[in-house]
Amino acid sequence: MTGDLPYQETSADYAIMAKIFESTLPQVDGTSRLSECLQVWELMQRCWKVNPQNRPTAQMCKTTVTYLPRCTPTSATADNQFRRAELLENLADLEIWKGNLVKSFAHLDEALSLYEQEADSRGIASVLRKQAVAAYRNDEDNKARDKATAALELFRSLEDPLGIADASFWLGCSILVLDSDDYEALRHLNQSLETYRAHEYDIGIAHCLERIATFQRINDEEEEALLTLNECLTAASRSGDRLGVARALRSLAITHYDLDNSTEAASACLEAIKIAWSIGWEGGLASALWRYLDIKRESGDLHEAGELFRESISITRQRGLRYGLASSLWVLGDYLVERSKFDEATAAYKESWQLFQEMSRPDYSKGVASDIVELKSSQGDWSGAMFWIDHVIAAHCSETDHEELSANLLKKGGILLELQRHDEAALHFEASIAISIENEFSWDEELEKLCALPKTAMKWERRLPLSCDLNKLQRRRPQLSTASLKLPIPLNHGDLDRSISATSASKRSIPFNFSPRQSSHDIE
């Protein structure tokens, strides 16, 4: 396969025999064809093991060879256009594996066009499924869901059970990532699992179990997830699916980490890294690396972190793996903060936030923005903190997460105090209190901060335009309840939104006694 004879550099038989007994194995170089498909090379190295017990079984070899990117041979009389479409499909498989998703999309689009010209429903269904895979790998989850749905309908019309199972699997994966309906995702995954079990298809079984374990972990069922992942590892190992084993180990590491089992998490992550490296799975390698780094960072072991960070970010950046890059940069930011490299940490956080925004992942971009708020606040950069806290609040508003919204309104009020913008701070404290009362949360801290505001610092008659959405805050009843300060809230340099009479205000006021302080030095 490399174009060379075994031990080509050695001509004498005795020398070749010596090399065999010395277990000196050939090496793949960067110019050989095998460098583009390391799964083949890894399989050959395992077959060359001296101890027969360490060699793969025939079934394991079959699994690996079956899933190598290739073009199935066709007869010389077969239609050339059909052969070309199938070739494009398999070239797309190779590009997906290598992480070249742009090239993969191009091959699949061309193959789809050819199949549509031939009205080949089975070919169209196959391409749609692969487009779903490529979109999922590229973090285009809505596109992945739509392509998988279209593939599922076609496979059903073709009465192809394994095709239906494959399409259902990718549909379940995309729904699970989108957080649109976890139980709908689980239904699709279980349907796929049932079909794979019926056909004794271990690779499909392993993939389904790994995703089901992710669902269990998301829903705080970590112990059940561990059992599911152990079954997943068994199925993947039985079939010889090294990629499936690596995925299962990566998920196992995350689950152990959630259970505070740092030692087991690090061990599983290292095994996943070794396998991903050996089979050339660069996306999985980068993902496992930053997971491992996060585990080591939490345990305080940062000895090898710098080099691993650079490797993880380099791989994800080169391959255009946006989710892996964003995640690696986020963890890198935490690492740099702990090493007091604040400017570098800020740059890493900002790039991570931007990537998550581009992928429409508000849950993650919100977390990164919160870390930037903490960093800016620790540096006394209150204007910088203000910019990022608004992003956090906007994310919580869209998610209707009332408890986090209340907490971040309180945090923003504290930042406004540092900026000497006392009237805006008061509005945010009262908005936080109103939300807490409506949802039966504790609001002692908000009350304490509001009471600490000095009356003399409130400049209601010269209110500047507020940096918050005042309409939303007014719907949360942000009027001060102190009689002397019970005034309508003007918008945009004095324009009044509405006036609230003393009677109605007293009925709607927040029940506490305001204790104004007379000197501004009491403000924390």
Side-chain angles (χ1 to χ4, degrees), residues 36-98:
E36 293 195 349
C37 194
L38 291 180
Q39 286 190 89
V40 175
W41 194 254
E42 195 263 349
L43 176 64
M44 292 171 70
Q45 287 181 317
R46 290 164 62 206
C47 290
W48 290 334
K49 294 289 185 182
V50 175
N51 186 346
Q53 297 299 319
N54 295 330
R55 298 173 193 163
T57 64
Q59 177 61 39
M60 292 177 179
C61 292
K62 179 183 176 183
T63 295
T64 302
V65 173
T66 299
Y67 283 87
L68 289 175
R70 71 200 189 287
C71 183
T72 305
T74 55
S75 66
T77 58
D79 182 82
N80 186 60
Q81 194 172 35
F82 172 78
R83 294 170 66 186
R84 184 162 175 257
E86 190 178 57
L87 174 61
L88 286 166
E89 270 198 86
N90 287 284
L91 287 173
D93 287 340
L94 177 60
E95 297 301 341
I96 289 173
W97 174 257
K98 291 163 63 178

Coordinates of all heavy atoms in Angstrom, one line a residue, residues 36-98:
E36 N -2.9 9.5 5.1 CA -4.2 10.1 5.0 C -5.2 9.2 5.6 O -6.4 9.6 5.7 CB -4.5 10.4 3.5 CG -3.6 11.5 2.9 CD -4.2 12.0 1.6 OE1 -5.2 11.4 1.1 OE2 -3.7 13.0 1.1
C37 N -4.9 8.0 6.0 CA -5.9 7.2 6.6 C -5.2 6.3 7.6 O -4.9 5.1 7.4 CB -6.6 6.3 5.6 SG -8.1 5.5 6.2
L38 N -4.9 6.9 8.8 CA -4.1 6.2 9.8 C -4.8 5.0 10.4 O -4.2 4.2 11.1 CB -3.8 7.2 10.9 CG -2.8 8.3 10.5 CD1 -2.5 9.2 11.6 CD2 -1.5 7.7 10.0
Q39 N -6.2 4.9 10.2 CA -6.8 3.7 10.7 C -6.2 2.4 10.1 O -6.1 1.4 10.8 CB -8.3 3.8 10.4 CG -9.1 4.8 11.2 CD -10.6 4.6 11.0 OE1 -11.3 3.8 11.7 NE2 -11.1 5.3 10.0
V40 N -5.9 2.5 8.8 CA -5.3 1.3 8.2 C -4.0 1.0 8.8 O -3.7 -0.2 9.1 CB -5.1 1.6 6.7 CG1 -4.3 0.4 6.0 CG2 -6.4 1.8 6.0
W41 N -3.2 2.0 9.0 CA -1.8 1.8 9.6 C -1.9 1.3 11.0 O -1.2 0.3 11.4 CB -1.0 3.1 9.6 CG 0.4 2.9 9.8 CD1 1.1 3.2 10.9 CD2 1.4 2.3 8.9 NE1 2.4 2.9 10.8 CE2 2.6 2.3 9.6 CE3 1.3 1.8 7.6 CZ2 3.8 1.8 9.0 CZ3 2.4 1.3 7.0 CH2 3.7 1.3 7.7
E42 N -2.8 1.8 11.8 CA -3.0 1.4 13.1 C -3.5 -0.1 13.2 O -3.0 -0.9 14.0 CB -4.1 2.3 13.8 CG -4.1 2.2 15.3 CD -5.2 1.3 15.8 OE1 -6.0 0.9 15.0 OE2 -5.2 1.0 17.0
L43 N -4.4 -0.5 12.3 CA -4.8 -1.9 12.2 C -3.7 -2.8 11.8 O -3.5 -3.9 12.4 CB -5.9 -2.0 11.1 CG -6.4 -3.4 10.9 CD1 -7.1 -4.0 12.1 CD2 -7.4 -3.4 9.7
M44 N -2.8 -2.4 10.9 CA -1.7 -3.2 10.5 C -0.7 -3.4 11.7 O -0.2 -4.5 11.9 CB -1.0 -2.6 9.3 CG -1.8 -2.6 8.0 SD -1.1 -1.7 6.7 CE 0.4 -2.7 6.3
Q45 N -0.5 -2.3 12.4 CA 0.4 -2.4 13.6 C -0.1 -3.4 14.6 O 0.6 -4.1 15.2 CB 0.6 -1.0 14.2 CG 1.5 -0.1 13.3 CD 1.7 1.2 14.0 OE1 0.8 1.8 14.5 NE2 2.9 1.7 14.0
R46 N -1.4 -3.4 14.8 CA -2.0 -4.3 15.8 C -1.9 -5.7 15.3 O -1.8 -6.7 16.1 CB -3.5 -3.9 16.0 CG -3.6 -2.6 16.8 CD -5.0 -2.0 16.7 NE -6.0 -2.9 17.3 CZ -7.3 -2.9 17.0 NH1 -7.7 -2.1 16.0 NH2 -8.1 -3.8 17.6
C47 N -2.1 -5.9 14.0 CA -1.9 -7.3 13.4 C -0.5 -7.8 13.5 O -0.3 -9.0 13.5 CB -2.4 -7.3 11.9 SG -4.1 -7.0 11.7
W48 N 0.5 -6.9 13.6 CA 1.9 -7.3 13.7 C 2.3 -7.6 15.1 O 3.5 -8.0 15.3 CB 2.8 -6.2 13.1 CG 2.6 -6.0 11.7 CD1 2.3 -7.0 10.7 CD2 2.9 -4.8 10.9 NE1 2.3 -6.4 9.5 CE2 2.7 -5.1 9.6 CE3 3.3 -3.6 11.3 CZ2 2.8 -4.2 8.6 CZ3 3.5 -2.6 10.3 CH2 3.2 -2.9 8.9
K49 N 1.4 -7.5 16.1 CA 1.8 -7.8 17.5 C 2.4 -9.2 17.6 O 1.9 -10.2 17.0 CB 0.6 -7.7 18.4 CG 0.0 -6.3 18.5 CD 0.9 -5.3 19.3 CE 0.3 -4.0 19.5 NZ 1.2 -3.0 20.2
V50 N 3.5 -9.3 18.4 CA 4.2 -10.6 18.5 C 3.2 -11.6 19.3 O 3.1 -12.8 18.9 CB 5.5 -10.4 19.3 CG1 6.1 -11.8 19.6 CG2 6.4 -9.5 18.5
N51 N 2.6 -11.1 20.3 CA 1.7 -12.0 21.1 C 0.4 -12.1 20.4 O -0.3 -11.1 20.2 CB 1.5 -11.4 22.5 CG 0.7 -12.3 23.4 OD1 0.0 -13.3 22.9 ND2 0.7 -12.0 24.7
P52 N 0.0 -13.3 19.9 CA -1.3 -13.4 19.2 C -2.5 -12.9 20.0 O -3.5 -12.5 19.4 CB -1.4 -15.0 19.0 CG 0.0 -15.4 19.0 CD 0.7 -14.6 20.1
Q53 N -2.5 -13.0 21.3 CA -3.6 -12.5 22.1 C -3.8 -11.0 21.9 O -4.9 -10.5 22.2 CB -3.3 -12.8 23.6 CG -3.2 -14.3 23.9 CD -4.5 -15.1 23.5 OE1 -5.6 -14.6 23.8 NE2 -4.3 -16.2 22.9
N54 N -2.8 -10.3 21.5 CA -2.9 -8.8 21.4 C -3.3 -8.4 20.0 O -3.4 -7.2 19.7 CB -1.6 -8.2 21.7 CG -1.2 -8.3 23.2 OD1 -2.1 -8.5 24.0 ND2 0.1 -8.4 23.5
R55 N -3.5 -9.4 19.1 CA -3.9 -9.1 17.7 C -5.4 -9.0 17.6 O -6.1 -9.6 18.4 CB -3.4 -10.2 16.8 CG -1.8 -10.3 16.7 CD -1.4 -11.5 15.9 NE 0.0 -11.8 16.1 CZ 0.6 -12.9 15.8 NH1 -0.2 -13.9 15.2 NH2 1.9 -13.1 16.0
P56 N -5.9 -8.2 16.7 CA -7.4 -8.1 16.5 C -8.0 -9.3 15.9 O -7.3 -10.1 15.2 CB -7.5 -6.9 15.5 CG -6.2 -6.9 14.8 CD -5.2 -7.3 15.7
T57 N -9.2 -9.6 16.2 CA -9.9 -10.7 15.6 C -10.3 -10.4 14.2 O -10.2 -9.3 13.7 CB -11.2 -11.0 16.4 OG1 -12.1 -9.9 16.3 CG2 -10.9 -11.3 17.9
A58 N -10.7 -11.4 13.5 CA -11.1 -11.2 12.1 C -12.3 -10.3 12.0 O -12.4 -9.4 11.1 CB -11.5 -12.6 11.5
Q59 N -13.2 -10.4 13.0 CA -14.4 -9.5 13.1 C -13.9 -8.0 13.2 O -14.5 -7.1 12.6 CB -15.3 -9.9 14.2 CG -16.5 -9.0 14.4 CD -17.4 -8.9 13.2 OE1 -17.7 -10.0 12.5 NE2 -17.9 -7.8 12.8
M60 N -12.9 -7.8 14.1 CA -12.4 -6.5 14.3 C -11.8 -5.9 13.0 O -12.0 -4.7 12.7 CB -11.4 -6.5 15.5 CG -12.0 -6.8 16.8 SD -10.7 -6.8 18.1 CE -11.6 -7.2 19.6
C61 N -11.1 -6.7 12.3 CA -10.4 -6.3 11.1 C -11.5 -6.0 10.0 O -11.4 -5.0 9.3 CB -9.5 -7.4 10.5 SG -8.1 -7.7 11.5
K62 N -12.6 -6.8 10.0 CA -13.7 -6.5 9.1 C -14.3 -5.2 9.4 O -14.6 -4.4 8.5 CB -14.7 -7.7 9.2 CG -15.9 -7.5 8.2 CD -16.9 -8.6 8.4 CE -18.2 -8.3 7.6 NZ -19.2 -9.3 7.8
T63 N -14.6 -4.9 10.7 CA -15.2 -3.7 11.0 C -14.4 -2.5 10.6 O -14.9 -1.5 10.0 CB -15.4 -3.6 12.6 OG1 -16.3 -4.6 13.0 CG2 -15.9 -2.2 13.0
T64 N -13.1 -2.5 10.8 CA -12.2 -1.4 10.4 C -12.2 -1.2 8.9 O -12.3 -0.1 8.4 CB -10.8 -1.6 11.0 OG1 -10.8 -1.8 12.4 CG2 -9.9 -0.5 10.6
V65 N -12.0 -2.3 8.2 CA -11.9 -2.2 6.7 C -13.3 -1.7 6.2 O -13.3 -0.9 5.2 CB -11.5 -3.5 6.2 CG1 -11.6 -3.5 4.6 CG2 -10.1 -3.9 6.6
T66 N -14.4 -2.2 6.7 CA -15.7 -1.9 6.2 C -15.9 -0.4 6.3 O -16.5 0.2 5.4 CB -16.8 -2.6 7.0 OG1 -16.6 -4.0 6.9 CG2 -18.2 -2.2 6.5
Y67 N -15.4 0.3 7.3 CA -15.7 1.7 7.5 C -14.5 2.6 7.1 O -14.5 3.8 7.4 CB -16.0 2.0 9.0 CG -17.5 1.6 9.2 CD1 -17.8 0.3 9.6 CD2 -18.5 2.4 9.0 CE1 -19.1 -0.2 9.7 CE2 -19.8 2.0 9.2 CZ -20.1 0.7 9.5 OH -21.4 0.3 9.7
L68 N -13.6 2.1 6.3 CA -12.6 2.9 5.7 C -13.2 3.7 4.6 O -14.0 3.2 3.8 CB -11.4 2.1 5.2 CG -10.5 1.4 6.2 CD1 -9.5 0.5 5.5 CD2 -9.8 2.5 7.0
P69 N -12.8 5.0 4.4 CA -13.3 5.7 3.3 C -12.8 5.1 2.0 O -11.7 5.0 1.8 CB -12.7 7.1 3.5 CG -12.4 7.2 5.0 CD -12.1 5.8 5.3
R70 N -13.8 4.8 1.1 CA -13.4 4.1 -0.1 C -14.5 4.2 -1.1 O -15.6 4.6 -0.8 CB -13.0 2.6 0.1 CG -14.3 1.8 0.4 CD -14.1 0.5 1.1 NE -15.3 -0.3 1.2 CZ -16.3 0.0 2.0 NH1 -16.3 1.1 2.7 NH2 -17.3 -0.8 2.0
C71 N -14.3 3.7 -2.3 CA -15.3 3.6 -3.3 C -15.6 2.1 -3.6 O -14.6 1.4 -4.0 CB -15.0 4.4 -4.6 SG -16.3 4.3 -5.8
T72 N -16.8 1.7 -3.4 CA -17.1 0.3 -3.6 C -16.9 0.0 -5.1 O -17.4 0.7 -6.0 CB -18.5 0.0 -3.2 OG1 -18.7 0.3 -1.9 CG2 -18.9 -1.5 -3.4
P73 N -16.2 -1.1 -5.4 CA -15.9 -1.5 -6.9 C -17.2 -1.7 -7.6 O -18.2 -2.2 -7.1 CB -15.1 -2.7 -6.8 CG -14.5 -2.7 -5.4 CD -15.5 -2.1 -4.5
T74 N -17.3 -1.2 -8.8 CA -18.5 -1.5 -9.7 C -18.0 -2.1 -11.0 O -16.8 -1.9 -11.4 CB -19.2 -0.1 -10.0 OG1 -18.3 0.8 -10.5 CG2 -19.8 0.5 -8.7
S75 N -18.9 -2.7 -11.7 CA -18.5 -3.4 -12.9 C -18.2 -2.3 -14.0 O -18.6 -1.2 -14.0 CB -19.7 -4.2 -13.4 OG -20.8 -3.4 -13.8
A76 N -17.4 -2.8 -15.0 CA -16.9 -1.9 -16.0 C -18.1 -1.4 -16.9 O -18.0 -0.3 -17.5 CB -15.9 -2.6 -16.9
T77 N -19.2 -2.1 -16.8 CA -20.4 -1.7 -17.7 C -21.3 -0.8 -16.9 O -22.3 -0.3 -17.5 CB -21.2 -3.0 -18.1 OG1 -21.6 -3.7 -16.9 CG2 -20.3 -3.9 -19.0
A78 N -21.0 -0.5 -15.6 CA -21.9 0.3 -14.8 C -21.9 1.8 -15.4 O -20.9 2.2 -16.0 CB -21.5 0.3 -13.4
D79 N -23.0 2.5 -15.2 CA -23.1 3.8 -15.7 C -22.0 4.7 -15.0 O -21.9 4.7 -13.8 CB -24.5 4.4 -15.3 CG -24.7 5.8 -15.9 OD1 -25.0 5.9 -17.0 OD2 -24.5 6.7 -15.1
N80 N -21.3 5.4 -15.8 CA -20.2 6.2 -15.3 C -20.6 7.3 -14.4 O -19.9 7.6 -13.4 CB -19.4 6.9 -16.5 CG -18.2 7.6 -16.1 OD1 -17.3 7.0 -15.5 ND2 -18.1 8.9 -16.3
Q81 N -21.8 7.9 -14.6 CA -22.3 8.9 -13.8 C -22.6 8.4 -12.4 O -22.3 9.0 -11.4 CB -23.6 9.6 -14.4 CG -24.0 10.9 -13.7 CD -25.1 11.6 -14.4 OE1 -26.0 11.0 -15.0 NE2 -25.0 12.9 -14.5
F82 N -23.2 7.2 -12.3 CA -23.5 6.5 -11.0 C -22.2 6.3 -10.3 O -22.1 6.6 -9.1 CB -24.2 5.2 -11.3 CG -24.4 4.4 -10.0 CD1 -25.3 4.7 -9.1 CD2 -23.5 3.3 -9.8 CE1 -25.5 4.0 -7.9 CE2 -23.7 2.6 -8.6 CZ -24.6 2.9 -7.7
R83 N -21.2 5.8 -11.0 CA -19.9 5.5 -10.3 C -19.3 6.8 -9.8 O -18.7 6.8 -8.7 CB -19.0 4.8 -11.3 CG -19.4 3.4 -11.7 CD -18.6 2.9 -12.9 NE -17.2 2.7 -12.5 CZ -16.3 2.3 -13.4 NH1 -16.6 2.2 -14.6 NH2 -15.0 2.1 -13.0
R84 N -19.5 7.9 -10.5 CA -18.9 9.2 -10.1 C -19.6 9.7 -8.9 O -19.0 10.2 -8.0 CB -19.0 10.2 -11.2 CG -18.3 11.5 -10.9 CD -18.1 12.3 -12.2 NE -17.5 13.6 -11.9 CZ -18.3 14.7 -11.9 NH1 -19.5 14.7 -12.3 NH2 -17.7 15.9 -11.6
A85 N -20.9 9.6 -8.8 CA -21.7 10.0 -7.6 C -21.2 9.2 -6.4 O -21.1 9.8 -5.3 CB -23.2 9.9 -7.9
E86 N -21.1 7.9 -6.6 CA -20.7 7.1 -5.4 C -19.3 7.5 -5.0 O -19.0 7.5 -3.8 CB -20.8 5.6 -5.8 CG -20.6 4.7 -4.6 CD -20.7 3.3 -5.0 OE1 -20.0 2.8 -5.8 OE2 -21.6 2.6 -4.4
L87 N -18.4 7.7 -5.9 CA -17.0 8.1 -5.6 C -17.1 9.5 -4.8 O -16.3 9.6 -3.8 CB -16.2 8.3 -6.9 CG -14.8 8.9 -6.7 CD1 -14.0 7.9 -5.8 CD2 -14.1 9.1 -8.1
L88 N -17.9 10.4 -5.3 CA -18.0 11.7 -4.5 C -18.5 11.5 -3.1 O -18.0 12.1 -2.2 CB -18.9 12.6 -5.3 CG -18.4 13.2 -6.6 CD1 -19.6 13.8 -7.4 CD2 -17.4 14.3 -6.3
E89 N -19.4 10.6 -2.9 CA -19.9 10.3 -1.6 C -18.7 9.8 -0.7 O -18.6 10.2 0.5 CB -20.9 9.2 -1.6 CG -22.3 9.6 -1.8 CD -23.3 8.5 -1.4 OE1 -23.6 8.4 -0.2 OE2 -23.7 7.7 -2.3
N90 N -17.9 8.9 -1.2 CA -16.9 8.3 -0.4 C -15.7 9.3 -0.2 O -15.0 9.2 0.8 CB -16.4 7.0 -1.0 CG -17.4 5.9 -0.8 OD1 -17.6 5.3 0.3 ND2 -18.2 5.6 -1.8
L91 N -15.5 10.1 -1.2 CA -14.5 11.2 -1.0 C -15.0 12.1 0.1 O -14.2 12.6 0.9 CB -14.3 12.0 -2.3 CG -13.5 11.3 -3.4 CD1 -13.5 12.2 -4.7 CD2 -12.1 11.1 -3.0
A92 N -16.3 12.4 0.2 CA -16.8 13.2 1.3 C -16.6 12.5 2.6 O -16.3 13.2 3.6 CB -18.3 13.4 1.0
D93 N -16.8 11.2 2.7 CA -16.5 10.4 3.9 C -15.1 10.7 4.4 O -14.8 10.9 5.6 CB -16.7 8.9 3.7 CG -18.2 8.6 3.6 OD1 -19.0 9.3 4.1 OD2 -18.4 7.5 3.1
L94 N -14.1 10.6 3.4 CA -12.7 10.8 3.8 C -12.5 12.2 4.3 O -11.8 12.4 5.3 CB -11.9 10.6 2.5 CG -10.3 10.8 2.7 CD1 -9.8 9.9 3.8 CD2 -9.6 10.6 1.4
E95 N -13.1 13.2 3.7 CA -12.9 14.6 4.1 C -13.6 14.9 5.5 O -13.1 15.6 6.3 CB -13.5 15.6 3.1 CG -12.8 15.5 1.7 CD -11.3 15.8 1.8 OE1 -10.9 16.4 2.8 OE2 -10.6 15.5 0.8
I96 N -14.7 14.2 5.8 CA -15.3 14.3 7.1 C -14.4 13.8 8.2 O -14.2 14.4 9.2 CB -16.7 13.6 7.2 CG1 -17.7 14.3 6.3 CG2 -17.2 13.4 8.6 CD1 -19.0 13.5 6.2
W97 N -13.8 12.6 7.8 CA -12.8 12.0 8.8 C -11.6 12.9 9.0 O -11.2 13.1 10.2 CB -12.4 10.7 8.2 CG -11.3 10.1 9.1 CD1 -10.0 10.0 8.8 CD2 -11.5 9.4 10.3 NE1 -9.3 9.4 9.8 CE2 -10.2 9.0 10.8 CE3 -12.6 9.2 11.1 CZ2 -10.0 8.4 12.0 CZ3 -12.4 8.5 12.3 CH2 -11.1 8.1 12.8
K98 N -11.1 13.6 8.0 CA -9.9 14.4 8.1 C -10.3 15.8 8.7 O -9.4 16.6 9.0 CB -9.3 14.6 6.7 CG -8.7 13.3 6.2 CD -8.4 13.4 4.7 CE -7.4 14.5 4.3 NZ -7.1 14.5 2.9

